[in-house]
Amino acid sequence: MIREARPPTTGPSLPPARGPLSHAVIRALAEDRPLPARLPDAAPYGDDLQLALYVLYELHYRGFAGVDDGREWDPVLLGARERLERGYLAALRADTGSGRTVTEAFEGLLVEPAGRDPSSVAQYLQYEGELWHLREYAALRSLYHLKEADPHVWVIPRLHGRAKAAMVAVEYDEFGAGRAERVHARLFAELMADLGLDTGYGGYLDHAPAEALATVNQMSLFGLHRALRGSLVGHFACVEVTSSPGSRRLAEALRRTGGGPAAEFFYTEHVEADAVHEQVVRRDVVGGLLEDHPELEADVVFGVESTTLLENRLGARLLPSWRSGRSALRAPLGAPARSVPER
């Protein structure tokens, strides 16, 4: 490994550990020491493994304050990450695997339920949610939305032809179509400011339960591995197909609870943009990929099904707490404060 001496990264602080596995990873980074040869086992969906995996993935994004940029390609850390990924990926595969076609996988996503879905977070927020629920939801989603589209960019060099051109077109919109003030991550920071939340990147990592970390880790897992490019496309398509109706519900929830104009705008923007993106992604990104590589159909379906699985797990964590009047976070949020989004 080429490891040049570099000044420590300026970024978010390393989080507190959640068990012996994440403690070993975080200590190795904080003290710039080698990772122990033997790491403790941890449950694939649990806080300890998901935090350790999240921290290792963040070395490929903005890093952490005080951590040498060279640790991104530390072979021991990469080997440890591969071991954690194996366990996580095996759990996802074991909990999906319906054998459906791509067409069948998308059929259920394209139909809005006729009545109220008691498992839907977006419907709960639309009809019953209070402002504090929406603040908690935004804090959790900030781990993704403040780097929105970044994990998906990794798939672009792994595509070609129609799939690549369409993926770039959608990502161009996600990054503001060339306008910094319209980058979706920037718009989400403005949503957070309207809700009196800390707009700092990774600011709510310690508040987020394993179920929220798992949804973010899934994107990094799929994006960083060429062998999983079909799964990344399936994940991306699932997000785009479900985004427009979900965003409409969240915009209504923020309007009803007085979340603020920037908060509401983030979701109204996605209602319009993602209704178009959904068609492009299904027809040209998924369609183009499978036209060239029909053998990847099962991987695309896995991307769809594993995304749905993790979103359902997150909903099962949030809704019982909210319905009983309790915070769904690991630590409740503080009082709203005025924030200034990063520029």
Side-chain angles (χ1 to χ4, degrees), residues 10 13 25 48 63 87 89 101 159 194 226 244 259 275 285 292 314 316:
T10 56
S13 299
V25 170
D48 197 17
L89 191 58
T101 65
L159 303 175
D194 255 8
R226 184 177 180 277
S244 186
V285 181
D292 295 332
L314 179 58

Side-chain angles (χ1 to χ4, degrees), residues 90-102:
L92 290 175
R93 292 197 186 282
D95 291 335
T96 54
S98 66
R100 295 186 295 175
T101 65
V102 163

Side-chain angles (χ1 to χ4, degrees), residues 7-15 26 29-31 59 62-69:
T9 295
T10 56
S13 299
L14 283 164
I26 291 166
L29 294 174
E31 299 179 4
L59 299 177
R62 298 197 190 183
F64 293 98
V67 176
D68 186 339
D69 285 344

Side-chain angles (χ1 to χ4, degrees), residues 134 138 186-197 254 259 262-264 266-267 341:
L134 287 155
R186 166 74 186 189
L187 296 180
F188 194 81
E190 292 172 353
L191 171 151
M192 296 178 74
D194 255 8
L195 295 175
L197 295 169
L254 287 159
E264 186 180 334
F266 176 83
Y267 286 111

